[in-house]
Amino acid sequence: METTQEKTPVEVRIEPLRGLPLILEVAGGVGRTLGLTLLWGLEIVRDSYFRLLDRLNVRPRHKRASAFPPGQPKKRTASTR
């Protein structure tokens, strides 16, 4: 179905970057690429480490872990309002 209203034409101008803005755009692209490469490399190392632990059959813990430290809990004093 065609609409009865026509869209107004939009004039698009593409201006090439020159000088400092061009250098900043290229440097930003190179920085992002290097950052992602570093993250991917670290992820590869992490995955390899955990695969090695799996191959060596190393279990995460021998006993259950607790969120609370060992020992008696501290005595709380009642606050008066």
Side-chain angles (χ1 to χ4, degrees):
M1 234 185 196
E2 291 190 29
T3 60
T4 57
Q5 296 177 352
E6 292 185 20
K7 294 183 180 179
T8 58
V10 178
E11 185 178 336
V12 178
R13 286 189 200 145
I14 299 174
E15 296 177 9
L17 290 176
R18 296 176 201 266
L20 185 61
L22 175 65
I23 293 171
L24 290 175
E25 288 291 327
V26 170
V30 169
R32 288 182 200 99
T33 303
L34 290 175
L36 285 173
T37 304
L38 176 66
L39 287 176
W40 288 335
L42 290 173
E43 188 170 338
I44 289 169
V45 169
R46 183 195 64 154
D47 289 345
S48 301
Y49 175 72
F50 285 118
R51 279 194 199 114
L52 177 67
L53 289 177
D54 283 343
R55 255 188 240 135
L56 295 175
N57 202 21
V58 176
R59 294 293 121 210
R61 290 191 180 264
H62 297 290
K63 61 180 182 177
R64 267 183 78 128
S66 173
F68 302 103
Q72 293 293 323
K74 293 181 181 178
K75 303 291 182 196
R76 292 182 172 254
T77 59
S79 62
T80 56
R81 290 187 182 182

